[in-house]
Amino acid sequence: MIKSRKRWVLLAGLTLVALAAGALVAVQSGALKVGGKAEQKKEQPPLAFAAADIVRLAPHRLSVELAMPATVQAFNQATVRSKLSAEVRRLPVREGDRVAAGQVIAEFDTAQLRNQLAERQAALESARATLAQTERTRASNAQLVKQSFISKNAFDTADDAYRAQAASVQAAEAQLAQTQLLMSDAVVRAPISGQVAKRLVQPGEKVSFDAPLLHIVDLSRLEVQAQAPVADVARITVGTEVAVEIEGLPGEAYQGRIDRINPTTETGSRMIAVYVLLPNDDGRLRGGMFAKVRLQVGGEAPVPALPVAAVRDDRGQSYVWIIADGKLARRNVSTGVRDERAQRVEITAGLSGTEQVIGTKFDNLREGMLANIVTAEPKVATRASLALARRAAVAGPPQDSCVLCPGGRPVATVGEPAIRAGASPCG
């Protein structure tokens, strides 16, 4: 029994010793790993940016291109309407025909008007004959009243009859002139030179007064009606040269000039019509074509601006990365005009102009990371490896070895000049 108990006690002691040794090894191993990570983290070198990657806030003249949808229409156009109610007897022109100002383009049946004209001419002759008779009576009564053969009232009666008949003659003359005007209106002439765009009636139809007959357009000079937002109208001025792109004619740019701006918005929208004069000497353009008017606005005075690549956006908030006191810092900014052609954006708030702003987009940048600017120019022999070093920097340093020098300690490099001329990219 005593030997058996001693054996159990010995085995238990050995077991405890083994467990204690294993725990000690585990603790030491963990401490080594933590220490290794801490040492690795502690040894993380600062990011080095090339001088070409750093920009500063500087004044620039920025302009914005407005692209406005538009429609081409004839500058001179007219809708010819009927001036009387009659039957169309002749209509010699059709769509596409050219007409000159004053050319006969339609005729109405004038049979009824001719009868009316003859009747009113006869009425006028009758009125004139009666006027002559009353005039003789008035003159005779004037002599008799002087000789006191008739009373003054008798003369006044003859005088009133003469005046009434004179007014009747004037009325008959007016009625005759009106009929003659209708006779002239029976022959319709073109008000302008151009082309017939639409024929709205056919010969033999009876039309009413003011009914549309033909639509004539003059394509020698066109007008482009563009729709501009209300917010941009204040920057558009009359006389400005604009570029006009015509749908269906790709690669052909037309130059126009803003002729006038509508003082009110279009009904049901917040757009204002802008009219652009457009020459059409070759006659290729047609009314109703869709177009796009491009206009450069702004650029009158320099404004503080940065390259577009330097400004980033995070859920609607614009910001930039700057290097301050050897560390990366994120700075929120407010932006204004964005010039797509110059690739610059106006900074209205957030920077004083002395900050060193990172003008190239890099990934995985974090607030507080160590950073510096290296201005040395690398040798040509090392340029091939610098691109790999830049990619390695944004992805983070490898844990085991450098992609360029296996077994060596990596250097976190961002800008090309970060590797000195003739030096290895690995530490």
Side-chain angles (χ1 to χ4, degrees), residues 166-224:
S168 298
V169 171
Q170 291 180 350
E173 290 176 346
Q175 290 178 349
L176 179 60
Q178 182 180 7
T179 304
Q180 291 173 339
L181 180 61
L182 291 176
M183 285 290 294
S184 64
D185 289 340
V187 179
V188 182
R189 300 181 182 275
I192 61 173
S193 299
Q195 290 180 273
V196 177
K198 187 175 293 185
R199 191 170 84 163
L200 302 171
V201 297
Q202 300 297 331
E205 293 185 22
K206 184 175 182 179
V207 298
S208 59
F209 174 77
D210 204 38
L213 304 176
L214 298 165
H215 187 68
I216 302 175
V217 297
D218 180 12
L219 297 180
S220 61
R221 188 170 60 161
L222 298 178
E223 185 177 67
V224 180

Short mmCIF file of all heavy atoms in Angstrom, two decimals, residues 166-224:
data_model
loop_
_atom_site.label_atom_id
_atom_site.label_comp_id
_atom_site.label_asym_id
_atom_site.label_seq_id
_atom_site.Cartn_x
_atom_site.Cartn_y
_atom_site.Cartn_z
N ALA A 166 -74.43 113.83 -98.42
CA ALA A 166 -72.96 113.79 -98.51
C ALA A 166 -72.40 112.68 -97.63
O ALA A 166 -71.45 111.97 -98.02
CB ALA A 166 -72.36 115.14 -98.13
N ALA A 167 -73.00 112.51 -96.45
CA ALA A 167 -72.56 111.41 -95.57
C ALA A 167 -72.90 110.05 -96.19
O ALA A 167 -72.12 109.09 -96.08
CB ALA A 167 -73.23 111.56 -94.21
N SER A 168 -74.04 109.97 -96.88
CA SER A 168 -74.39 108.71 -97.55
C SER A 168 -73.39 108.36 -98.65
O SER A 168 -73.03 107.20 -98.85
CB SER A 168 -75.80 108.82 -98.15
OG SER A 168 -76.76 109.03 -97.13
N VAL A 169 -72.91 109.39 -99.33
CA VAL A 169 -71.89 109.14 -100.36
C VAL A 169 -70.61 108.62 -99.73
O VAL A 169 -69.98 107.68 -100.25
CB VAL A 169 -71.64 110.44 -101.15
CG1 VAL A 169 -70.43 110.27 -102.08
CG2 VAL A 169 -72.86 110.82 -101.96
N GLN A 170 -70.23 109.21 -98.61
CA GLN A 170 -69.01 108.73 -97.93
C GLN A 170 -69.17 107.28 -97.47
O GLN A 170 -68.23 106.49 -97.56
CB GLN A 170 -68.70 109.65 -96.75
CG GLN A 170 -68.26 111.04 -97.15
CD GLN A 170 -67.96 111.91 -95.95
OE1 GLN A 170 -68.25 111.56 -94.80
NE2 GLN A 170 -67.40 113.11 -96.20
N ALA A 171 -70.35 106.92 -96.96
CA ALA A 171 -70.59 105.54 -96.54
C ALA A 171 -70.52 104.59 -97.72
O ALA A 171 -69.95 103.49 -97.64
CB ALA A 171 -71.94 105.44 -95.84
N ALA A 172 -71.08 105.00 -98.85
CA ALA A 172 -71.03 104.15 -100.04
C ALA A 172 -69.61 103.98 -100.54
O ALA A 172 -69.21 102.90 -101.00
CB ALA A 172 -71.93 104.75 -101.13
N GLU A 173 -68.82 105.03 -100.46
CA GLU A 173 -67.41 104.93 -100.85
C GLU A 173 -66.65 103.98 -99.94
O GLU A 173 -65.80 103.20 -100.40
CB GLU A 173 -66.79 106.32 -100.82
CG GLU A 173 -67.27 107.25 -101.92
CD GLU A 173 -66.69 108.64 -101.78
OE1 GLU A 173 -66.12 108.93 -100.69
OE2 GLU A 173 -66.79 109.42 -102.74
N ALA A 174 -66.93 104.03 -98.62
CA ALA A 174 -66.26 103.13 -97.67
C ALA A 174 -66.64 101.67 -97.94
O ALA A 174 -65.78 100.78 -97.90
CB ALA A 174 -66.61 103.52 -96.24
N GLN A 175 -67.90 101.44 -98.22
CA GLN A 175 -68.33 100.06 -98.51
C GLN A 175 -67.69 99.54 -99.79
O GLN A 175 -67.28 98.38 -99.86
CB GLN A 175 -69.85 100.01 -98.62
CG GLN A 175 -70.56 100.22 -97.29
CD GLN A 175 -72.07 100.21 -97.43
OE1 GLN A 175 -72.61 100.26 -98.55
NE2 GLN A 175 -72.75 100.18 -96.30
N LEU A 176 -67.58 100.41 -100.76
CA LEU A 176 -66.92 100.00 -102.01
C LEU A 176 -65.44 99.72 -101.77
O LEU A 176 -64.89 98.74 -102.30
CB LEU A 176 -67.08 101.10 -103.06
CG LEU A 176 -66.42 100.83 -104.42
CD1 LEU A 176 -66.99 99.57 -105.05
CD2 LEU A 176 -66.55 102.04 -105.34
N ALA A 177 -64.77 100.54 -100.95
CA ALA A 177 -63.35 100.33 -100.66
C ALA A 177 -63.15 99.01 -99.91
O ALA A 177 -62.16 98.29 -100.14
CB ALA A 177 -62.80 101.50 -99.87
N GLN A 178 -64.07 98.69 -99.02
CA GLN A 178 -63.96 97.42 -98.28
C GLN A 178 -64.09 96.24 -99.22
O GLN A 178 -63.34 95.26 -99.11
CB GLN A 178 -65.04 97.37 -97.20
CG GLN A 178 -64.98 96.12 -96.35
CD GLN A 178 -66.05 96.08 -95.27
OE1 GLN A 178 -66.94 96.95 -95.26
NE2 GLN A 178 -65.99 95.10 -94.40
N THR A 179 -65.01 96.32 -100.15
CA THR A 179 -65.16 95.23 -101.12
C THR A 179 -63.93 95.11 -102.00
O THR A 179 -63.48 94.01 -102.33
CB THR A 179 -66.42 95.47 -101.98
OG1 THR A 179 -67.55 95.61 -101.13
CG2 THR A 179 -66.65 94.31 -102.93
N GLN A 180 -63.38 96.24 -102.40
CA GLN A 180 -62.15 96.20 -103.21
C GLN A 180 -60.99 95.60 -102.42
O GLN A 180 -60.16 94.88 -102.99
CB GLN A 180 -61.81 97.62 -103.67
CG GLN A 180 -62.78 98.19 -104.68
CD GLN A 180 -62.51 99.65 -104.99
OE1 GLN A 180 -61.86 100.35 -104.20
NE2 GLN A 180 -63.00 100.13 -106.14
N LEU A 181 -60.93 95.87 -101.10
CA LEU A 181 -59.88 95.27 -100.27
C LEU A 181 -60.06 93.76 -100.19
O LEU A 181 -59.07 93.01 -100.25
CB LEU A 181 -59.92 95.89 -98.86
CG LEU A 181 -58.90 95.37 -97.86
CD1 LEU A 181 -57.48 95.65 -98.35
CD2 LEU A 181 -59.10 96.00 -96.48
N LEU A 182 -61.31 93.32 -100.07
CA LEU A 182 -61.55 91.87 -100.05
C LEU A 182 -61.16 91.24 -101.38
O LEU A 182 -60.66 90.11 -101.41
CB LEU A 182 -63.02 91.60 -99.73
CG LEU A 182 -63.48 91.94 -98.31
CD1 LEU A 182 -64.98 91.71 -98.17
CD2 LEU A 182 -62.72 91.11 -97.29
N MET A 183 -61.38 91.96 -102.45
CA MET A 183 -60.98 91.44 -103.76
C MET A 183 -59.46 91.29 -103.84
O MET A 183 -58.96 90.31 -104.39
CB MET A 183 -61.46 92.38 -104.86
CG MET A 183 -62.95 92.28 -105.13
SD MET A 183 -63.43 90.71 -105.91
CE MET A 183 -62.60 90.87 -107.50
N SER A 184 -58.74 92.26 -103.27
CA SER A 184 -57.27 92.14 -103.27
C SER A 184 -56.81 91.02 -102.33
O SER A 184 -55.82 90.35 -102.61
CB SER A 184 -56.63 93.47 -102.88
OG SER A 184 -56.98 93.81 -101.54
N ASP A 185 -57.55 90.83 -101.21
CA ASP A 185 -57.18 89.75 -100.28
C ASP A 185 -57.47 88.38 -100.86
O ASP A 185 -56.98 87.37 -100.33
CB ASP A 185 -57.94 89.92 -98.97
CG ASP A 185 -57.44 91.11 -98.16
OD1 ASP A 185 -56.31 91.56 -98.41
OD2 ASP A 185 -58.19 91.59 -97.28
N ALA A 186 -58.25 88.31 -101.89
CA ALA A 186 -58.54 87.03 -102.53
C ALA A 186 -57.31 86.47 -103.22
O ALA A 186 -57.24 85.27 -103.52
CB ALA A 186 -59.69 87.18 -103.52
N VAL A 187 -56.34 87.33 -103.47
CA VAL A 187 -55.06 86.90 -104.04
C VAL A 187 -54.03 86.98 -102.92
O VAL A 187 -53.68 88.08 -102.46
CB VAL A 187 -54.65 87.78 -105.23
CG1 VAL A 187 -53.30 87.32 -105.78
CG2 VAL A 187 -55.71 87.73 -106.32
N VAL A 188 -53.52 85.82 -102.45
CA VAL A 188 -52.61 85.75 -101.31
C VAL A 188 -51.17 85.77 -101.81
O VAL A 188 -50.81 84.99 -102.71
CB VAL A 188 -52.87 84.48 -100.47
CG1 VAL A 188 -51.96 84.46 -99.25
CG2 VAL A 188 -54.33 84.41 -100.06
N ARG A 189 -50.36 86.64 -101.23
CA ARG A 189 -48.96 86.77 -101.61
C ARG A 189 -48.06 86.43 -100.43
O ARG A 189 -48.44 86.61 -99.27
CB ARG A 189 -48.67 88.19 -102.11
CG ARG A 189 -49.51 88.58 -103.31
CD ARG A 189 -49.18 89.97 -103.81
NE ARG A 189 -50.04 90.35 -104.93
CZ ARG A 189 -49.80 90.03 -106.20
NH1 ARG A 189 -48.69 89.35 -106.50
NH2 ARG A 189 -50.62 90.40 -107.16
N ALA A 190 -46.86 85.93 -100.74
CA ALA A 190 -45.92 85.52 -99.70
C ALA A 190 -45.40 86.73 -98.95
O ALA A 190 -44.91 87.68 -99.58
CB ALA A 190 -44.77 84.74 -100.31
N PRO A 191 -45.47 86.74 -97.62
CA PRO A 191 -44.97 87.90 -96.87
C PRO A 191 -43.45 87.95 -96.78
O PRO A 191 -42.86 89.02 -96.61
CB PRO A 191 -45.59 87.71 -95.49
CG PRO A 191 -45.79 86.23 -95.36
CD PRO A 191 -46.09 85.74 -96.75
N ILE A 192 -42.77 86.80 -96.85
CA ILE A 192 -41.31 86.74 -96.78
C ILE A 192 -40.80 85.75 -97.82
O ILE A 192 -41.57 84.93 -98.36
CB ILE A 192 -40.82 86.30 -95.37
CG1 ILE A 192 -41.35 84.89 -95.05
CG2 ILE A 192 -41.23 87.29 -94.31
CD1 ILE A 192 -40.79 84.30 -93.77
N SER A 193 -39.52 85.83 -98.09
CA SER A 193 -38.88 84.84 -98.95
C SER A 193 -38.46 83.64 -98.12
O SER A 193 -38.02 83.78 -96.98
CB SER A 193 -37.67 85.45 -99.65
OG SER A 193 -38.04 86.54 -100.46
N GLY A 194 -38.58 82.46 -98.69
CA GLY A 194 -38.19 81.25 -97.95
C GLY A 194 -38.74 80.01 -98.62
O GLY A 194 -38.91 79.98 -99.85
N GLN A 195 -39.00 79.00 -97.81
CA GLN A 195 -39.52 77.74 -98.30
C GLN A 195 -40.83 77.41 -97.58
O GLN A 195 -41.01 77.76 -96.41
CB GLN A 195 -38.54 76.60 -98.05
CG GLN A 195 -37.29 76.66 -98.93
CD GLN A 195 -36.35 75.50 -98.64
OE1 GLN A 195 -35.51 75.57 -97.75
NE2 GLN A 195 -36.50 74.43 -99.40
N VAL A 196 -41.71 76.75 -98.32
CA VAL A 196 -42.98 76.34 -97.72
C VAL A 196 -42.72 75.14 -96.82
O VAL A 196 -42.25 74.09 -97.27
CB VAL A 196 -44.00 75.99 -98.82
CG1 VAL A 196 -45.30 75.49 -98.20
CG2 VAL A 196 -44.26 77.19 -99.71
N ALA A 197 -42.99 75.32 -95.54
CA ALA A 197 -42.78 74.23 -94.59
C ALA A 197 -44.01 73.36 -94.43
O ALA A 197 -43.90 72.16 -94.17
CB ALA A 197 -42.37 74.80 -93.23
N LYS A 198 -45.19 73.96 -94.60
CA LYS A 198 -46.42 73.18 -94.42
C LYS A 198 -47.55 73.83 -95.21
O LYS A 198 -47.73 75.06 -95.19
CB LYS A 198 -46.79 73.11 -92.94
CG LYS A 198 -47.95 72.19 -92.63
CD LYS A 198 -48.16 72.07 -91.13
CE LYS A 198 -46.98 71.37 -90.47
NZ LYS A 198 -47.24 71.14 -89.02
N ARG A 199 -48.31 73.00 -95.93
CA ARG A 199 -49.51 73.46 -96.62
C ARG A 199 -50.71 72.88 -95.89
O ARG A 199 -50.86 71.66 -95.80
CB ARG A 199 -49.50 73.02 -98.08
CG ARG A 199 -50.60 73.69 -98.90
CD ARG A 199 -50.43 73.43 -100.37
NE ARG A 199 -50.99 72.15 -100.77
CZ ARG A 199 -51.27 71.82 -102.03
NH1 ARG A 199 -51.01 72.68 -103.00
NH2 ARG A 199 -51.77 70.63 -102.31
N LEU A 200 -51.56 73.76 -95.38
CA LEU A 200 -52.62 73.34 -94.46
C LEU A 200 -53.98 73.19 -95.12
O LEU A 200 -54.91 72.70 -94.48
CB LEU A 200 -52.72 74.33 -93.30
CG LEU A 200 -51.42 74.51 -92.49
CD1 LEU A 200 -51.55 75.66 -91.51
CD2 LEU A 200 -51.09 73.23 -91.75
N VAL A 201 -54.13 73.63 -96.37
CA VAL A 201 -55.42 73.50 -97.07
C VAL A 201 -55.16 72.95 -98.47
O VAL A 201 -54.02 72.92 -98.95
CB VAL A 201 -56.15 74.86 -97.15
CG1 VAL A 201 -56.52 75.35 -95.76
CG2 VAL A 201 -55.32 75.89 -97.88
N GLN A 202 -56.24 72.57 -99.12
CA GLN A 202 -56.17 72.05 -100.47
C GLN A 202 -57.11 72.85 -101.36
O GLN A 202 -58.09 73.43 -100.88
CB GLN A 202 -56.56 70.56 -100.50
CG GLN A 202 -55.70 69.66 -99.65
CD GLN A 202 -54.25 69.62 -100.11
OE1 GLN A 202 -53.98 69.80 -101.30
NE2 GLN A 202 -53.33 69.39 -99.19
N PRO A 203 -56.84 72.92 -102.66
CA PRO A 203 -57.75 73.63 -103.56
C PRO A 203 -59.16 73.04 -103.50
O PRO A 203 -59.34 71.82 -103.44
CB PRO A 203 -57.11 73.42 -104.94
CG PRO A 203 -55.67 73.17 -104.65
CD PRO A 203 -55.64 72.43 -103.35
N GLY A 204 -60.16 73.89 -103.53
CA GLY A 204 -61.54 73.46 -103.44
C GLY A 204 -62.13 73.53 -102.05
O GLY A 204 -63.36 73.46 -101.90
N GLU A 205 -61.28 73.65 -101.03
CA GLU A 205 -61.78 73.75 -99.67
C GLU A 205 -62.28 75.17 -99.39
O GLU A 205 -61.70 76.14 -99.87
CB GLU A 205 -60.69 73.40 -98.66
CG GLU A 205 -60.25 71.96 -98.69
CD GLU A 205 -59.25 71.64 -97.58
OE1 GLU A 205 -59.23 72.40 -96.59
OE2 GLU A 205 -58.50 70.67 -97.72
N LYS A 206 -63.33 75.26 -98.60
CA LYS A 206 -63.82 76.56 -98.16
C LYS A 206 -63.30 76.81 -96.76
O LYS A 206 -63.50 75.99 -95.86
CB LYS A 206 -65.35 76.60 -98.18
CG LYS A 206 -65.89 77.98 -97.83
CD LYS A 206 -67.39 78.06 -97.96
CE LYS A 206 -67.88 79.47 -97.65
NZ LYS A 206 -69.34 79.61 -97.79
N VAL A 207 -62.63 77.92 -96.60
CA VAL A 207 -62.00 78.23 -95.33
C VAL A 207 -62.69 79.43 -94.72
O VAL A 207 -63.31 80.24 -95.42
CB VAL A 207 -60.49 78.50 -95.50
CG1 VAL A 207 -59.78 77.27 -96.04
CG2 VAL A 207 -60.26 79.69 -96.40
N SER A 208 -62.57 79.56 -93.43
CA SER A 208 -63.15 80.68 -92.71
C SER A 208 -62.12 81.79 -92.55
O SER A 208 -60.94 81.62 -92.87
CB SER A 208 -63.66 80.24 -91.34
OG SER A 208 -62.59 79.69 -90.58
N PHE A 209 -62.57 82.90 -92.04
CA PHE A 209 -61.67 84.03 -91.82
C PHE A 209 -60.60 83.66 -90.80
O PHE A 209 -60.87 83.02 -89.79
CB PHE A 209 -62.48 85.25 -91.33
CG PHE A 209 -61.62 86.42 -90.95
CD1 PHE A 209 -61.06 87.22 -91.94
CD2 PHE A 209 -61.36 86.70 -89.62
CE1 PHE A 209 -60.27 88.31 -91.60
CE2 PHE A 209 -60.57 87.78 -89.28
CZ PHE A 209 -60.02 88.59 -90.27
N ASP A 210 -59.34 84.02 -91.06
CA ASP A 210 -58.18 83.80 -90.21
C ASP A 210 -57.76 82.33 -90.13
O ASP A 210 -57.00 81.93 -89.25
CB ASP A 210 -58.44 84.33 -88.78
CG ASP A 210 -57.14 84.67 -88.07
OD1 ASP A 210 -56.22 85.19 -88.72
OD2 ASP A 210 -57.04 84.41 -86.85
N ALA A 211 -58.21 81.52 -91.08
CA ALA A 211 -57.78 80.12 -91.11
C ALA A 211 -56.37 80.04 -91.66
O ALA A 211 -56.01 80.74 -92.63
CB ALA A 211 -58.73 79.30 -91.98
N PRO A 212 -55.47 79.20 -91.09
CA PRO A 212 -54.10 79.08 -91.60
C PRO A 212 -54.06 78.38 -92.96
O PRO A 212 -54.76 77.39 -93.18
CB PRO A 212 -53.39 78.26 -90.52
CG PRO A 212 -54.48 77.48 -89.86
CD PRO A 212 -55.71 78.32 -89.91
N LEU A 213 -53.26 78.93 -93.85
CA LEU A 213 -53.14 78.37 -95.20
C LEU A 213 -51.78 77.71 -95.41
O LEU A 213 -51.69 76.55 -95.78
CB LEU A 213 -53.34 79.48 -96.24
CG LEU A 213 -54.65 80.27 -96.17
CD1 LEU A 213 -54.64 81.38 -97.21
CD2 LEU A 213 -55.83 79.36 -96.34
N LEU A 214 -50.69 78.46 -95.18
CA LEU A 214 -49.33 77.98 -95.43
C LEU A 214 -48.42 78.46 -94.31
O LEU A 214 -48.68 79.49 -93.67
CB LEU A 214 -48.80 78.50 -96.77
CG LEU A 214 -49.54 78.09 -98.04
CD1 LEU A 214 -49.10 78.97 -99.18
CD2 LEU A 214 -49.28 76.63 -98.36
N HIS A 215 -47.34 77.68 -94.10
CA HIS A 215 -46.29 78.10 -93.16
C HIS A 215 -44.99 78.20 -93.94
O HIS A 215 -44.53 77.23 -94.55
CB HIS A 215 -46.15 77.10 -92.02
CG HIS A 215 -45.21 77.55 -90.95
ND1 HIS A 215 -45.46 78.61 -90.12
CD2 HIS A 215 -43.97 77.09 -90.59
CE1 HIS A 215 -44.46 78.78 -89.28
NE2 HIS A 215 -43.54 77.88 -89.56
N ILE A 216 -44.37 79.39 -93.92
CA ILE A 216 -43.16 79.66 -94.68
C ILE A 216 -42.02 79.95 -93.71
O ILE A 216 -42.20 80.69 -92.73
CB ILE A 216 -43.37 80.86 -95.62
CG1 ILE A 216 -44.54 80.59 -96.57
CG2 ILE A 216 -42.11 81.15 -96.43
CD1 ILE A 216 -44.89 81.77 -97.45
N VAL A 217 -40.85 79.36 -93.99
CA VAL A 217 -39.67 79.57 -93.14
C VAL A 217 -38.52 80.04 -94.01
O VAL A 217 -38.38 79.65 -95.18
CB VAL A 217 -39.27 78.29 -92.39
CG1 VAL A 217 -40.37 77.86 -91.44
CG2 VAL A 217 -38.95 77.16 -93.35
N ASP A 218 -37.69 80.89 -93.43
CA ASP A 218 -36.48 81.37 -94.09
C ASP A 218 -35.28 80.74 -93.40
O ASP A 218 -34.95 81.08 -92.26
CB ASP A 218 -36.42 82.89 -94.01
CG ASP A 218 -35.18 83.46 -94.68
OD1 ASP A 218 -34.50 82.70 -95.40
OD2 ASP A 218 -34.90 84.66 -94.48
N LEU A 219 -34.61 79.81 -94.08
CA LEU A 219 -33.51 79.05 -93.49
C LEU A 219 -32.15 79.69 -93.72
O LEU A 219 -31.13 79.09 -93.38
CB LEU A 219 -33.49 77.62 -94.04
CG LEU A 219 -34.72 76.76 -93.74
CD1 LEU A 219 -34.56 75.37 -94.34
CD2 LEU A 219 -34.95 76.66 -92.24
N SER A 220 -32.12 80.89 -94.29
CA SER A 220 -30.82 81.54 -94.51
C SER A 220 -30.18 81.95 -93.19
O SER A 220 -28.96 82.03 -93.08
CB SER A 220 -30.99 82.77 -95.40
OG SER A 220 -31.85 83.73 -94.78
N ARG A 221 -30.99 82.20 -92.19
CA ARG A 221 -30.47 82.51 -90.86
C ARG A 221 -31.34 81.79 -89.84
O ARG A 221 -32.56 81.96 -89.82
CB ARG A 221 -30.48 84.02 -90.60
CG ARG A 221 -29.78 84.40 -89.31
CD ARG A 221 -29.57 85.89 -89.19
NE ARG A 221 -30.81 86.64 -89.21
CZ ARG A 221 -30.93 87.88 -88.76
NH1 ARG A 221 -29.87 88.50 -88.28
NH2 ARG A 221 -32.07 88.51 -88.82
N LEU A 222 -30.69 81.01 -88.99
CA LEU A 222 -31.41 80.19 -88.02
C LEU A 222 -31.26 80.75 -86.62
O LEU A 222 -30.39 81.56 -86.33
CB LEU A 222 -30.90 78.74 -88.07
CG LEU A 222 -31.09 78.01 -89.40
CD1 LEU A 222 -30.50 76.61 -89.31
CD2 LEU A 222 -32.55 77.95 -89.80
N GLU A 223 -32.11 80.24 -85.77
CA GLU A 223 -32.09 80.61 -84.37
C GLU A 223 -32.20 79.34 -83.54
O GLU A 223 -33.06 78.50 -83.79
CB GLU A 223 -33.27 81.54 -84.08
CG GLU A 223 -33.29 82.08 -82.67
CD GLU A 223 -34.44 83.06 -82.49
OE1 GLU A 223 -35.61 82.61 -82.56
OE2 GLU A 223 -34.18 84.26 -82.29
N VAL A 224 -31.30 79.20 -82.59
CA VAL A 224 -31.29 78.03 -81.71
C VAL A 224 -31.87 78.45 -80.36
O VAL A 224 -31.34 79.35 -79.70
CB VAL A 224 -29.87 77.46 -81.53
CG1 VAL A 224 -29.88 76.25 -80.62
CG2 VAL A 224 -29.28 77.09 -82.89
#
